[in-house]
Amino acid sequence: MAALGRMAPKLGCSWLWPSGVRGPEVGRRGVRALRRSPVRVLPSQKERRATAAEEQKRPPEPPPPPQPAVERGSAGPGLWYDKASPGDKRLGKVVTIAKSKKFRDHHGKVLLEGHRLIRDALEAGAVPRTLFFSTVGHLKELPEAELKGASLVKVKFEDIKNWSDLITPQGLIGIFSKPDHAKMSYPAAQLASSLPLLLICDNIRDPGNLGTILRSAAGAGCEKVLLTKGCVDPWEPKVLRAGMGAHFRLPIIADLDWESLPNNLPAAIQVCVADNKDPAARAETTSMPRGSSRAGPVHLKSKPKAAPEYEDEEGAADVCIPELAVQYYYENWTQAPVAVVIGGETHGLSPDALQLAASTGGKRLVIPMVTGMDSLNSAMAAAIVLFEGRRQLLQRHKQEDERQTFPVVG
């Protein structure tokens, strides 16, 4: 038939094709027909019965191996824990992600290590999520009532040692919900010793310095600590270690911009800034690097937030800093309430800090040093100024109490 189809055009035989249809079109239809999928042939009922009988004769497949049961132990009435099996990677995963600031911000969790830090956190009302420990004795040193809502996992000390940042690990690591200062219950002794003294950290980027500053603020009886944007995360593990529990003794409010920072200050507060320029130095109006500060008007170079009207060759705008009264830190400068700004060692005091001080009638507090020394470590400067502020406030309170007890008769 195919041969006849090829010969039809030559012979002029139109009877081989239907009327109105040309030969090549029929050929294409044939090709399309051949490309269709074949019809599926179903097995007969007899074949299906034979297949079912064969399947019944086959031995059943063995069930999947059972998952190893989690071994549990008791650390006290109603306090149960899991024993990590060999190859358990929960500790490594948790520690790795909890050390990331992105994880802390996104999931709202922080990592604490050591008996004292974890005990202080529990007593202040921090919420534990997971605790890893090497011996049950570690749990006995913690308030058991605060642990009942947490997941407790016993691991080998070698595993904790591998993931710990401490030179001598204590065998106890905890994952806590990120504490909210408004919901914390700070120690009664700390609250009783609190003074109308606040600390503002301006661009403190070194974890060790910030932790030491927080520890000094707690020791001096500060009411609260405010951290501006640019400061290191206070819940970074190195800051926590250097703080020695200060995070759970006074409110710490972080990531504040200078526009919203005044909302966290009490009314009629005076803001002073710690400085290192001798007040006897001649006041000058000069162009100085950002963070430099001395008595009199100062022009600082800083990167503007918006396009400035005039710019220098480096693209930085001139920011005029108002004049502040300058005095030594041991002279009287406290009034209730008062705040102290400590700047970072790299950039020093920011123009925003100096403008805030000027708007509240604040002063520059100078720590005198021998000639040739440029500045002190920021943590050292904070400790000196804060404890002097504590001394002055306590002395003022004592004088007020004496006046009320023994009023002067005119």
Side-chain angles (χ1 to χ4, degrees):
M1 184 67 185
L4 290 174
R6 288 193 299 270
M7 294 175 61
K10 298 179 181 180
L11 299 176
C13 300
S14 60
W15 53 270
L16 292 175
W17 313 114
S19 60
V21 178
R22 300 181 64 183
E25 295 180 0
V26 175
R28 285 195 296 272
R29 289 182 182 179
V31 171
R32 285 198 297 270
L34 292 176
R35 289 177 181 173
R36 292 176 183 174
S37 59
V39 179
R40 181 181 179 185
V41 179
L42 297 177
S44 64
Q45 185 176 5
K46 183 177 180 180
E47 291 176 345
R48 289 198 299 271
R49 290 177 180 176
T51 303
E54 291 180 0
E55 291 180 352
Q56 292 179 356
K57 293 179 181 179
R58 293 177 184 174
E61 296 182 1
Q67 297 294 329
V70 177
E71 188 177 356
R72 297 177 63 85
S74 175
L79 200 63
W80 297 89
Y81 62 87
D82 298 338
K83 295 182 179 180
S85 59
D88 194 317
K89 298 181 180 180
R90 282 181 290 178
L91 175 61
K93 290 181 179 179
V94 169
V95 172
T96 300
I97 59 179
K99 289 182 179 180
S100 166
K101 185 180 185 302
K102 183 178 180 180
F103 172 84
R104 294 193 298 268
D105 294 340
H106 182 71
H107 295 278
K109 292 183 175 62
V110 297
L111 182 145
L112 308 178
E113 183 174 2
H115 298 93
R116 179 175 179 177
L117 192 58
I118 292 179
R119 182 175 62 251
D120 290 345
L122 292 173
E123 292 176 350
V127 181
R129 294 303 182 185
T130 308
L131 259 68
F132 299 93
F133 60 95
S134 58
T135 63
V136 178
H138 294 316
L139 299 182
K140 301 292 184 180
E141 301 177 9
L142 303 175
E144 295 185 3
E146 309 297 335
L147 299 177
K148 292 186 177 180
S151 174
L152 308 178
V153 183
K154 184 180 179 181
V155 298
K156 294 182 179 180
F157 179 77
E158 289 75 13
D159 294 336
I160 292 182
K161 186 177 181 180
N162 291 336
W163 292 104
S164 173
D165 286 336
L166 302 180
I167 299 177
T168 307
Q170 301 179 22
L172 185 63
I173 295 178
I175 305 297
F176 284 70
S177 296
K178 194 172 183 179
D180 182 357
H181 67 90
K183 300 178 181 180
M184 300 293 287
S185 301
Y186 298 106
Q190 183 74 29
L191 296 176
S193 303
S194 179
L195 295 169
L197 177 63
L198 287 77
L199 174 64
I200 302 174
C201 294
D202 179 16
N203 220 17
I204 304 293
R205 300 183 180 182
D206 183 82
N209 281 345
L210 181 58
T212 304
I213 289 173
L214 296 178
R215 186 177 180 184
S216 297
C222 286
E223 181 179 321
K224 68 173 70 171
V225 178
L226 307 179
L227 308 180
T228 64
K229 289 184 177 181
C231 288
V232 65
D233 182 15
W235 300 104
E236 205 271 340
K238 292 182 180 179
V239 181
L240 286 163
R241 288 199 303 272
M244 293 293 290
H247 294 71
F248 306 106
R249 302 190 69 86
L250 80 169
I252 300 173
I253 307 175
D255 203 29
L256 296 173
D257 53 41
W258 288 102
E259 288 75 16
S260 62
L261 188 142
N263 298 331
N264 296 275
L265 298 176
I269 192 172
Q270 184 182 62
V271 178
C272 299
V273 296
D275 204 346
N276 65 314
K277 299 299 181 182
D278 194 309
R282 181 171 59 90
E284 297 178 350
T285 302
T286 182
S287 179
M288 302 171 63
R290 174 184 174 93
S292 301
S293 54
R294 65 176 64 181
V298 180
H299 288 77
L300 304 185
K301 296 288 185 178
S302 65
K303 293 183 178 180
K305 295 181 180 179
E309 185 174 357
Y310 298 101
E311 294 184 347
D312 60 11
E313 295 179 356
E314 298 178 357
D318 288 337
V319 180
C320 185
I321 302 302
E323 181 178 357
L324 295 177
V326 184
Q327 66 178 58
Y328 291 118
Y329 79 98
Y330 50 77
E331 297 174 336
N332 184 31
W333 52 272
T334 57
Q335 67 174 28
V338 64
V340 177
V341 182
I342 299 294
E345 294 182 34
T346 304
H347 297 283
L349 295 169
S350 65
D352 294 307
L354 298 173
Q355 290 171 356
L356 177 62
S359 66
T360 61
K363 304 174 181 178
R364 297 177 185 269
L365 306 178
V366 175
I367 302 175
M369 295 183 295
V370 299
T371 304
M373 290 297 297
D374 182 34
S375 64
L376 288 176
N377 174 277
S378 58
M380 296 284 291
I384 293 172
V385 175
L386 290 177
F387 278 93
E388 173 59 22
R390 173 180 176 81
R391 185 193 68 80
Q392 293 185 19
L393 287 172
L394 290 177
Q395 185 178 17
R396 176 170 295 184
H397 291 171
K398 183 179 179 181
Q399 293 173 354
E400 292 176 355
D401 292 341
E402 291 176 351
R403 283 195 295 267
Q404 294 176 1
T405 304
F406 307 101
V408 178
V409 178

